[in-house]
Amino acid sequence: MGTKTADETGAEAGAEATTDEKKVDVTKTDEVTETEATEGDATAADVEDTDTEDADDTELLAAAAEVLAKEEAEGSAGVGMGAGAVVSAALGLVSLTGGWIGTLAAERQALVGQLNAQTSQSSSVAKLVQEGYGDAWNATAMWGGIFALVALLVGVFVLARPAFGTPGKAQAGWIKSVAWGGVALGVIGLLLAVLKYTDVLVGLPSTS
């Protein structure tokens, strides 16, 4: 058996140290690689989560905008129906009390009757009364009936409108009440107008 010299022993020790250093370097390199890969996966996951959150936020914003648009449309429809109910009630009241259009038509018809009476001296008393007063009263009744009919139609439209709107959307109570009031006034006004126009109610006095 040979004896190793100090140089050979030192050389072997150096070789082993170099090998160990290489192993340590390789191990460190593998650890760094694994760390980078892990960080890369985490970053990709974060990006994916961020994209998902952005998509969810976009969907929520779109849904909120759609809900707001529906509520605004329903609010506008409610305002329109409320205005229609008020108009119906007002027209029904005008049909009972008389409006300036009916008054103007009656005065015009009375003036026409007076002119006819002045130009025709041979007219009978019944004809003079009819032309001077009856026709004017009929004109008032006709315009009252027109107002009553419009009030009735508008009130019925307001009451029937929810059936053609959003299912399950209840109409405000005050709108229904005012619309029903307009319908009732319209029916009463129309009935009175027909009775007056046919001389059943407050007919002309007899001239015989």
Side-chain angles (χ1 to χ4, degrees):
M1 297 178 59
T3 303
K4 292 183 179 179
T5 62
D7 293 335
E8 292 176 352
T9 302
E12 291 179 357
E16 291 178 357
T18 303
T19 303
D20 292 337
E21 290 178 357
K22 290 181 179 180
K23 290 181 179 180
V24 171
D25 293 337
V26 171
T27 303
K28 289 181 177 180
T29 303
D30 293 339
E31 291 178 354
V32 171
T33 304
E34 291 177 356
T35 302
E36 292 177 351
T38 303
E39 292 178 352
D41 294 338
T43 303
D46 293 338
V47 171
E48 185 176 355
D49 292 339
T50 303
D51 293 339
T52 303
E53 292 177 356
D54 292 340
D56 293 339
D57 292 340
T58 303
E59 292 178 357
L60 290 175
L61 290 175
E66 184 177 357
V67 171
L68 289 175
K70 288 182 178 180
E71 290 181 352
E72 184 177 357
E74 291 174 357
S76 300
V79 171
M81 292 299 101
V86 173
V87 169
S88 174
L91 290 175
L93 186 62
V94 169
S95 70
L96 295 178
T97 60
W100 67 271
I101 296 179
T103 302
L104 183 63
E107 292 179 352
R108 179 183 181 279
Q109 199 62 42
L111 179 60
V112 171
Q114 292 176 6
L115 293 175
N116 291 335
Q118 291 178 1
T119 57
S120 179
Q121 299 295 332
S122 60
S123 299
S124 63
V125 176
K127 185 177 181 181
L128 292 176
V129 171
Q130 178 64 37
E131 292 179 350
Y133 299 96
D135 292 343
W137 293 354
N138 289 340
T140 302
M142 182 187 69
W143 281 102
I146 292 174
F147 280 115
L149 181 59
V150 174
L152 178 61
L153 294 176
V154 173
V156 170
F157 172 77
V158 172
L159 293 173
R161 178 64 178 82
F164 303 96
T166 304
K169 184 65 176 179
Q171 194 175 53
W174 72 269
I175 295 178
K176 288 183 178 180
S177 299
V178 177
W180 275 115
V183 170
L185 291 174
V187 171
I188 295 173
L190 188 61
L191 178 61
L192 292 177
V194 171
L195 292 177
K196 176 60 197 76
Y197 195 86
T198 56
D199 290 334
V200 175
L201 179 66
V202 193
L204 292 175
S206 177
T207 57
S208 57

